[in-house]
Amino acid sequence: MRDQALFDKIDLHLIRVLHTVLTERSVSRAALRLGMYQPAVSASLKRLRDLAGDPILVRSGAGMVPTDAGLRMVEPAASILRAEQREWGMRFA
């Protein structure tokens, strides 16, 4: 699946999980940062992997590293989250 098509199919919650897992490079740290339980983040990551047709992150040594597709998703996810923050701020300003 092309990256843009993935973003068209997922909701803001999954985009937030995607970006956090990719930047933290750890499901456990992402769960802490998101205020979620680790199994819920793992389930979201599985859903993202199924939708993307890509592992997004793979184990490497003691940590996880993004795949090429995962790396391509970081900036679009960040951009969507920034736009949502601006919209949220404008709504409640």
Side-chain angles (χ1 to χ4, degrees):
M1 174 181 292
R2 292 188 52 233
D3 300 336
Q4 184 57 46
L6 172 68
F7 286 104
D8 290 342
K9 291 184 177 234
I10 62 177
D11 61 29
L12 190 59
H13 168 73
L14 281 177
I15 292 170
R16 188 169 287 112
V17 170
L18 173 67
H19 185 263
T20 306
V21 169
L22 286 169
T23 57
E24 290 293 331
R25 296 183 181 200
S26 164
V27 173
S28 297
R29 285 194 307 269
L32 285 172
R33 191 165 143 205
L34 291 164
M36 296 172 63
Y37 292 107
Q38 186 272 333
V41 174
S42 291
S44 294
L45 181 57
K46 181 187 179 328
R47 186 168 169 219
L48 287 160
R49 285 172 166 161
D50 290 345
L51 288 168
D54 186 88
I56 300 172
L57 285 162
V58 292
R59 291 208 179 277
S60 175
M64 298 184 81
V65 294
T67 62
D68 289 341
L71 288 172
R72 287 192 309 269
M73 294 177 197
V74 173
E75 184 48 40
S79 179
I80 291 167
L81 294 173
R82 284 191 301 270
E84 178 60 23
Q85 283 181 325
R86 282 192 301 272
E87 176 67 25
W88 185 262
M90 290 173 60
R91 231 182 272 169
F92 294 99

